[in-house]
Amino acid sequence: MGKTIVIVGLGLIGGSLAKALRGFEDCTILGVDVSQPTLRYALEQGIVDRAESDPVKALAEGDVVYLCLHPQGIVDFMAEHQDHFRPGAMITDVCGVKGAILEGARALPETVSFCGGHPMAGTEFSGIQHALKNMFQGAHYILTPNEQTAPEHLELLERAARYVGCADVVRTTPEQHDAIIAYTSQMMHIIAVAVCDDPSLFQYQGFEGDSFRGCTRVAALDVSLWTQLFSMNAKALGTALEQLEENIRQYRQTIQSGDLTALSGKLAFSSARKRQMNRLEQASGAVGRDG
Amino acid sequence: MGKTIVIVGLGLIGGSLAKALRGFEDCTILGVDVSQPTLRYALEQGIVDRAESDPVKALAEGDVVYLCLHPQGIVDFMAEHQDHFRPGAMITDVCGVKGAILEGARALPETVSFCGGHPMAGTEFSGIQHALKNMFQGAHYILTPNEQTAPEHLELLERAARYVGCADVVRTTPEQHDAIIAYTSQMMHIIAVAVCDDPSLFQYQGFEGDSFRGCTRVAALDVSLWTQLFSMNAKALGTALEQLEENIRQYRQTIQSGDLTALSGKLAFSSARKRQMNRLEQASGAVGRDG
């Protein structure tokens, strides 16, 4: 018999992880959630092997624990349950900020291993009913190991990431992760909501194309989750947004100046950078989703 | 035998239109391009019935003419060939600005009909080799009829738009079109290139998710085409960008203030607007592409 994997929080990501981890190294998947309907759904749909509403009971069995709550929920959970993890347990999380999580993980005893994680996957929906087995297909899986991380824990998380279909596993520091994610993910969400705040939005219905759909898809976001993610990474996100505001202003001023040579030069520069980025990404084989 | 449809400019959109119009009301598709390899390709692939490098010869036969050149090319073509259109010919274009095109169309004689058009479809690629038969599937097709437009011309364009798979046909004025498109399409392209101008772009490789891909896909744009589109619509685009800069700044300042209630309130407002927009769009059945 393999290990018992406890998934705490059967939402979009927790539920997708449960589906995708099915069959991984003969493990048993034990789902934990505060919602009885969610636990029932997870059992009925065969998303988990077993369901448990009491985290203390579940943690007593957990060889591997994935914390799939909202960021503040993860921090609170680790503080509240620091003495309930099984000695030797390997604990990880899946959330989109890492500094605040690693800070919270200091509450954990030395008898357990912790490694921060962030599968760059998601959709604009939430809840287990939107969970997808192939959610992580082609996505990047970021890990932020530190002195709290046992080597065998890191190896197991890498095998699990490959198993659920990730294109690669990227190791970095929490600081680096948060600075980069401020740009590649959080800023995209701010752009999407800022675009939707245009006073005339609804007059534009009938004129949207794929560029509008692609840019604004994630604006239909989970308010409570993203309030936490943005505010827990306010400094890096603020810096990224200031840079973006400046880049947009420069484009606007060039367009307003009527200098076609300058505009053409700027577009050539930017579009070449995007093509280069596409080549790098194609070489890596990554094609995942990102919520 | 049906009418002869002349498609001037067998690029991404002209080529896709030729493919998609195949079989429409028993028409013959006659392709015109300055490039011999493009004409050969179009014939070999069966994209057109006939190919012609001399626009004067083609126009002499054209009952319906789709001008699928870059914006300035369309204006120049109408000026140069104003006397070569067949009397009774129905002329339209497919480009993303309408004010400058309608202005150019004043050069046409009273013996022909003109109606501005803009199928909101495209990809980040260019050239006939990227043309797609289903390019217009689910897209909006915008028409800007005026006193130069014969009623039967408008009816024919609407039937053709449905035939190529468009979800709907929207009629508007050139001014309205250009103001709206500045927001729903051009601004999305400026966002995409502005994001790619971040100094650290290439360090972020390995951390992109679908929100980044969705937002920046169109940054790999056709420089010459978009230099024209942006500069021919500089006033409306400048206004849209100023509003966007303000919306982003307000989000940034709220995040930096640390006021979670205000941030949560803003996100609830914006995300509700996006969900409402999604419902409107789903009700319309539109799902098309946009270059």
Side-chain angles (χ1 to χ4, degrees), chain A residues 22-196:
Chain A
R22 266 317 173 93
F24 173 64
E25 298 184 359
D26 201 24
C27 291
T28 300
I29 311 269
L30 171 52
V32 178
D33 205 278
V34 291
S35 155
Q36 285 296 341
T38 296
L39 291 175
R40 230 176 5 248
Y41 180 89
L43 272 179
E44 280 167 8
Q45 300 287 319
I47 297 172
V48 296
D49 293 303
R50 288 166 48 217
E52 175 59 64
S53 61
D54 182 356
V56 179
K57 283 189 192 159
L59 293 180
E61 296 184 47
D63 300 302
V64 181
V65 181
Y66 281 90
L67 300 175
C68 304
L69 305 166
H70 284 192
Q72 192 57 52
I74 293 171
V75 171
D76 296 345
F77 188 94
M78 291 192 292
E80 184 179 346
H81 295 289
Q82 53 183 292
D83 298 326
H84 303 147
F85 293 96
R86 189 180 166 141
M90 299 188 278
I91 306 158
T92 189
D93 78 304
V94 297
C95 100
V97 289
K98 295 270 69 79
I101 299 295
L102 275 278
E103 190 70 34
R106 293 195 188 157
L108 297 174
E110 285 191 6
T111 51
V112 302
S113 169
F114 183 85
C115 182
H118 179 198
M120 291 206 57
T123 69
E124 67 274 34
F125 305 110
S126 42
I128 195 167
Q129 65 277 23
H130 295 293
L132 299 170
K133 182 177 166 35
N134 68 350
M135 178 70 82
F136 309 99
Q137 204 66 44
H140 302 295
Y141 203 112
I142 307 169
L143 291 173
T144 58
N146 64 5
E147 70 289 347
Q148 279 191 290
T149 313
E152 65 269 26
H153 185 185
L154 194 54
E155 288 159 18
L156 180 134
L157 288 177
E158 295 202 347
R159 292 198 305 279
R162 303 275 177 197
Y163 186 81
V164 301
C166 288
D168 53 21
V169 177
V170 183
R171 296 186 196 186
T172 187
T173 63
E175 297 74 26
Q176 186 78 351
H177 170 277
D178 288 356
I180 295 178
I181 241 57
Y183 168 84
T184 61
S185 171
Q186 298 191 335
M187 190 168 86
M188 303 305 129
H189 288 73
I190 294 292
I191 290 170
V193 287
V195 163
C196 289

Side-chain angles (χ1 to χ4, degrees), chain A residues 120 140 142 170 172 180 183-185 187-191 193-199 201-221 223 226-227 230-231 234 237-238 241-245 247-249 251-252 255-256 260 263-264 266-271 273-277 280-281 284 286-290, chain B residues 120 140 142 170 172 180 183-185 187-191 193-199 201-221 223 226-227 230-231 234 237-238 241-245 247-249 251-252 255-256 260 263-264 266-271 273-277 280-281 284 286-290:
Chain A
M120 291 206 57
H140 302 295
I142 307 169
V170 183
T172 187
I180 295 178
Y183 168 84
T184 61
S185 171
M187 190 168 86
M188 303 305 129
H189 288 73
I190 294 292
I191 290 170
V193 287
V195 163
C196 289
D197 281 357
D198 190 281
L201 177 69
F202 298 113
Q203 292 170 31
Y204 300 145
Q205 204 270 318
F207 295 84
E208 330 86 273
D210 261 10
S211 60
F212 179 83
R213 296 183 190 101
C215 180
T216 62
R217 179 183 59 85
V218 293
L221 44 69
V223 174
W226 287 93
T227 299
F230 293 148
S231 60
L237 179 54
L241 289 174
E242 275 171 23
Q243 177 72 57
L244 175 69
E245 287 166 45
N247 291 351
I248 293 174
R249 183 163 44 245
Y251 258 109
R252 172 171 59 77
I255 289 163
Q256 288 173 330
L260 297 199
L263 178 56
S264 170
K266 273 183 75 64
L267 289 172
F269 173 80
S270 309
S271 62
R273 285 166 69 86
K274 173 58 178 171
R275 286 193 194 91
Q276 170 69 4
M277 191 73 173
L280 289 169
E281 196 178 6
S284 83
V287 291
R289 289 188 191 76
D290 170 36
Chain B
M120 292 207 56
H140 302 295
I142 306 169
V170 183
T172 186
I180 294 178
Y183 168 85
T184 61
S185 171
M187 190 169 86
M188 303 304 129
H189 288 74
I190 295 293
I191 290 171
V193 287
V195 163
C196 290
D197 281 357
D198 190 283
L201 177 69
F202 298 114
Q203 292 170 31
Y204 301 144
Q205 203 269 318
F207 295 85
E208 328 87 273
D210 261 10
S211 60
F212 179 83
R213 296 185 191 100
C215 180
T216 62
R217 178 182 61 84
V218 294
L221 45 69
V223 173
W226 286 93
T227 300
F230 293 148
S231 59
L237 179 54
L241 290 175
E242 275 172 23
Q243 176 73 56
L244 175 68
E245 288 167 43
N247 291 350
I248 294 175
R249 184 164 43 245
Y251 257 109
R252 173 171 58 78
I255 289 164
Q256 288 173 330
L260 298 199
L263 178 56
S264 169
K266 274 184 75 64
L267 290 171
F269 173 79
S270 310
S271 62
R273 284 166 70 85
K274 174 59 178 171
R275 286 193 194 92
Q276 170 69 3
M277 191 72 173
L280 289 169
E281 197 177 5
S284 84
V287 292
R289 288 186 195 78
D290 169 34

